[in-house]
Amino acid sequence: MPYAEVIGDPIAHSKSPMIHRFWLEALGMEGDYRATRVAPDGLEAYFSERRADLAWRGCNITIPHKTAALDHVEDRGGVRQSIGAINTVFRDGDGTLVGTNTDAGGFYAPIAGLDLERETVCVIGAGGAARAVLFALSKLNVGRVTLLNRNPLKGAALLAGFGLKGDALPLSAPVPAARLLVNCSPLGMTGQPLLDLDLAPLPEDAVVYDIVYAPLETPLLTAAHARGLETVDGLEMLVGQAALAFEILFDAQPPRDRDEELRALLLG
């Protein structure tokens, strides 16, 4: 039976198997989707084993492998130079393992109707997910971007790499008066430290977007709701990027007309 999977460390929290299995069943397709824990020092062995497994269609990639996985697959789309991280690996027709990234498209879909031209944006984190978000923002002609991260030098390098003007500051720095604030870090995730931000500087029309989905209602979103701000939760990006990956891995379009049913399943 053909199958795909999601890899990461940790991985038990992942909702990706529920999403892809829901779509496979809805479409009446034969196949499976699994979650597999892969330690950082096990990436090379993992891809070697899967390369020989012809039933394996590919995988999605989550923390902490989105950058390191580039060293083990072919980069035909120039993702290393553009985003600098991958979240999907698929087997090409000739058997080659190819890396790509669906995070940028998944991030953008829920805010496609938001006019961010010349607007101030605040991004938290500087990992693989942040790279995809910054890549998307670089295509939207946003204004200044404030990147808050434990290592401001890494943040500054990312802003420069994506041609974005702004400031890279430590996590303790105050939030700017941003139209969009995006948490791309694991802070606030179950088992991780909390993301403690004062949202008072945000304007009334600000949107707070947290890509963390375990828990779905993060302390950041709770604080945003308390201020009456519009929010986007982690399931929005998760399902969006998964839909793009599903097409790549299983060569079929997922039934997005059943998103409400899927969301209820994920929340249940």
Side-chain angles (χ1 to χ4, degrees):
M1 176 186 294
Y3 75 97
E5 59 194 335
V6 58
I7 65 169
D9 185 18
I11 200 60
H13 67 282
S14 177
K15 294 183 181 294
S16 292
M18 293 178 66
I19 296 171
H20 288 267
R21 287 172 179 171
F22 175 85
W23 288 334
L24 286 167
E25 182 178 352
L27 294 173
M29 293 178 59
E30 181 184 23
D32 192 17
Y33 189 100
R34 309 163 186 173
T36 301
R37 179 181 174 272
V38 177
D41 60 359
L43 266 182
E44 183 175 3
Y46 168 80
F47 283 116
S48 294
E49 292 171 2
R50 293 302 189 267
R51 189 175 281 108
D53 184 355
L54 297 183
W56 184 78
R57 304 294 293 271
C59 67
N60 289 120
I61 301 169
T62 188
I63 296 172
H65 303 317
K66 291 187 177 187
T67 300
L70 271 165
D71 294 333
H72 303 284
V73 298
E74 193 164 311
D75 179 21
R76 293 181 178 173
V79 181
R80 186 186 293 275
Q81 286 71 38
S82 58
I83 298 177
I86 56 176
N87 79 322
T88 304
V89 171
F90 63 94
R91 188 193 302 277
D92 203 3
D94 61 4
T96 303
L97 302 191
V98 181
T100 188
N101 194 305
T102 65
D103 275 339
F107 159 74
Y108 175 66
I111 59 169
L114 188 65
D115 184 6
L116 292 173
E117 187 169 358
R118 293 186 293 277
E119 293 282 3
T120 300
V121 178
C122 180
V123 174
I124 316 298
R131 287 178 174 272
V133 168
L134 292 171
F135 174 79
L137 292 175
S138 72
K139 306 299 181 183
L140 299 177
N141 194 29
V142 297
R144 295 187 67 81
V145 176
T146 297
L147 193 151
L148 304 182
N149 187 53
R150 290 192 182 95
N151 185 343
L153 290 178
K154 182 178 180 181
L158 281 183
L159 290 179
F162 288 105
L164 293 165
K165 296 181 179 180
D167 303 289
L169 304 171
L171 282 171
S172 57
V175 168
R179 177 75 192 287
L180 173 68
L181 183 147
V182 188
N183 176 34
C184 302
S185 78
L187 296 175
M189 181 186 294
T190 301
Q192 296 288 335
L194 296 180
L195 177 59
D196 186 17
L197 298 177
D198 180 6
L199 303 184
L202 297 182
E204 293 183 357
D205 62 348
V207 176
V208 176
Y209 193 146
D210 197 338
I211 72 167
V212 170
Y213 59 86
L216 187 61
E217 179 71 11
T218 63
L220 176 63
L221 295 185
T222 297
H225 290 147
R227 275 213 49 206
L229 301 177
E230 184 178 349
T231 63
V232 180
D233 63 45
L235 282 188
E236 295 282 353
M237 178 172 173
L238 179 68
V239 173
Q241 65 80 24
L244 298 172
F246 187 87
E247 290 189 47
I248 295 170
L249 298 172
F250 294 105
D251 195 27
Q253 290 191 350
R256 297 302 302 275
D257 58 327
R258 296 181 62 177
D259 273 8
E260 288 189 14
E261 184 181 348
L262 173 59
R263 187 176 178 89
L265 175 66
L266 295 172
L267 293 176

